[in-house]
Amino acid sequence: MRRTVFSEDHEAFRETLRAFIEAEVVPVYDEWFAAGQAPRDFYYKLAELGVFGIRVDEEFGGAGIDSYKFEAVMYEETARAGVSFGGSGVHVLLGLPYIKALATDEQKKRFLPKFVSGEEMWALAMTEPGTGSDLAGMKTTAKLSEDGTHYVLNGAKTFITGGVHADRVIVCARTSAPTAEDRRFGISLFAVDTKAEGYSVGRKLDKLGLKTSDTAELAFVDVKVPVEDLLGEENKGFYYLGGNLPSERWGIAFGAYAQAAAAVRFAKEYVQERTVFGKPVSHFQNTKFELAACQAEVDAAQAVADRALEALDQGELSAAEAASAKLFCTEVAHRVIDRCLQLHGGYGFMNEYPIARLYADNRVNRIYGGTSEIMKSIIAKNMGL
């Protein structure tokens, strides 16, 4: 399908990234899969490639390119190869927007050079046991000390992607009680140093999919967080979270589209090679019709994902548009990947085939970043319903 979203620079980056994946990821990916995470040293290789600094200003060691299109290329190329970059995705997609939007000049000088170099990997800790999508119901607290030099952080978080390897975590915590008029009031954001006393990583969670992504439970017991590590203004954290959700949901939408496109590629290659009843599976009409239908859905998802990408780059992606893109692309990916796995027959159920891993990895797309049901609520509200 003809596209206009990428330039020659993006395609040059694609070639470099594809070669990097073939050399540095594909040969060892089975080891990462078995270990349940990518090694920490791999993130330094990503940093050397420059992927962490694309949207970071040059004064802090980045490229100063204010665009998500290079990240879009990364989604496509990792999906194409049937691999991932571990938990590093949250470092750029989730961590960087908060630093760029909320950090003071002093904080940017402290945080961004190490962010670009991979010396400090970042994660975002919102979800808590028992709260799920209800962020306003979080129980983690951060109380300002009597001398006003630090906050004392207590509580727990779960489902934190990148939580095992993280060096800094943006933790959402209550600094004030909610008001009768607004239960979302009173949440603040902190750039917490994971080496701080009282900070601990609990279980590395055993997930259905995303096996190479380190996802963890975090606990905070009287963790002292310097006031200099407060991000933005106190008590306005919920509104900051809402402001960054469109970019997060675009990332999930685009990643889902890329997974669906990869599934069609895997299935096409498989049915051309696999022979049954004396001829390739691709020669059967059912196979042709199934793949044709899947390709049509992928084409539609690509158009939606690209449109959302252009809007995001222009600073015009609304919450409703992001929700619509996420809902559509993740539902398409669910249908397409399932049908492509079916074309693999029994082999599609074996983890040695990328379609099996893709099937498991894709399932979370309709849950995290806001469930499909939440997306429908946002869209309906925008419709005036």
Side-chain angles (χ1 to χ4, degrees):
M1 188 174 182
R2 186 174 62 180
R3 306 174 81 182
T4 59
V5 70
F6 296 126
S7 69
E8 291 183 1
D9 288 341
H10 300 119
E11 296 306 328
F13 175 68
R14 186 188 302 278
E15 291 182 12
T16 299
L17 188 64
R18 188 173 296 183
F20 173 84
I21 290 171
E22 288 298 321
E24 301 290 346
V25 182
V26 172
V28 294
Y29 196 69
D30 286 345
E31 297 174 19
W32 297 4
F33 190 85
Q37 63 186 34
R40 178 63 175 82
D41 288 348
F42 172 69
Y43 297 156
Y44 289 110
K45 294 181 179 180
L46 287 176
E48 291 173 6
L49 191 65
V51 300
F52 293 157
I54 292 171
R55 290 191 288 114
V56 175
D57 291 342
E58 292 182 27
E59 63 179 299
F60 303 117
I65 301 173
D66 190 20
S67 172
Y68 284 81
K69 291 183 179 180
F70 290 95
E71 287 167 54
V73 172
M74 283 188 272
Y75 282 121
E76 291 185 335
E77 289 305 307
T78 51
R80 178 186 180 277
V83 302
S84 81
F85 287 162
S88 66
V90 300
H91 180 66
V92 175
L93 184 65
L94 301 188
L96 185 57
Y98 290 97
I99 303 173
K100 292 183 67 174
L102 304 176
T104 63
D105 290 341
E106 183 275 332
Q107 287 174 326
K108 289 179 180 178
K109 290 177 183 177
R110 277 196 293 131
F111 296 151
L112 285 175
K114 293 180 180 179
F115 180 99
V116 172
S117 69
E119 184 178 346
E120 282 191 352
M121 296 298 296
W122 287 61
L124 177 64
M126 293 189 290
T127 306
E128 295 183 1
T131 61
S133 298
D134 182 19
L135 296 180
M138 68 177 62
K139 305 297 182 183
T140 297
T141 60
K143 303 295 185 183
L144 188 63
S145 63
E146 292 184 2
D147 61 7
T149 61
H150 63 274
Y151 292 84
V152 180
L153 182 67
N154 283 283
K157 300 289 181 179
T158 192
F159 306 143
I160 308 307
T161 304
V164 175
H165 286 321
D167 303 288
R168 286 265 178 186
V169 176
I170 300 173
V171 177
C172 313
R174 281 213 164 273
T175 44
S176 297
T179 65
E181 298 77 20
D182 189 0
R183 63 191 293 267
R184 298 170 295 183
F185 174 82
I187 295 171
S188 301
L189 306 184
F190 300 90
V192 179
D193 186 342
T194 63
K195 296 185 294 295
E197 184 178 353
Y199 179 104
S200 62
V201 178
R203 292 185 301 148
K204 180 166 71 68
L205 300 174
D206 184 15
K207 308 182 298 298
L208 170 67
L210 301 179
K211 291 292 189 179
T212 62
S213 174
D214 55 308
T215 305
E217 296 174 330
L218 307 179
F220 321 111
V221 179
D222 294 333
V223 177
K224 293 182 178 180
V225 182
V227 293
E228 293 82 9
D229 289 345
L230 172 70
L231 282 176
E233 296 182 38
E234 196 177 83
N235 299 324
K236 293 187 177 181
F238 191 94
Y239 310 101
Y240 298 144
L241 294 173
N244 282 310
L245 280 174
S247 62
E248 177 183 353
R249 288 168 178 163
W250 163 80
I252 297 170
F254 204 96
Y257 137 69
Q259 289 176 324
V264 172
R265 174 174 175 263
F266 296 146
K268 179 183 174 182
E269 291 175 352
Y270 179 81
V271 298
Q272 289 176 326
E273 296 171 358
R274 174 71 168 164
T275 299
V276 295
F277 303 115
K279 59 182 178 180
V281 176
S282 61
H283 286 196
F284 292 92
Q285 186 183 62
N286 179 69
T287 302
K288 296 176 182 179
F289 281 7
E290 282 293 285
L291 281 177
C294 287
Q295 184 61 56
E297 289 217 75
V298 168
D299 287 345
Q302 182 189 85
V304 169
D306 284 357
R307 184 182 67 178
L309 172 56
E310 292 286 16
L312 181 63
D313 264 13
Q314 294 167 15
E316 298 175 353
L317 184 64
S318 70
E321 289 171 329
S324 179
K326 180 181 184 295
L327 177 66
F328 183 77
C329 291
T330 57
E331 294 292 342
V332 164
H334 161 66
R335 293 191 297 270
V336 167
I337 295 170
D338 183 74
R339 294 165 82 174
C340 288
L341 186 149
Q342 187 73 15
L343 289 173
H344 282 71
Y347 290 104
F349 204 64
M350 301 295 110
N351 274 326
E352 65 185 275
Y353 283 80
I355 191 68
R357 299 180 183 183
L358 193 58
Y359 183 87
D361 289 350
N362 170 74
R363 185 58 185 88
V364 77
N365 288 333
R366 292 180 289 150
I367 299 173
Y368 67 3
T371 63
S372 291
E373 291 72 25
I374 293 294
M375 298 304 101
K376 292 174 184 177
S377 296
I378 294 170
I379 297 165
K381 183 178 180 180
N382 187 65
M383 295 169 65
L385 299 174

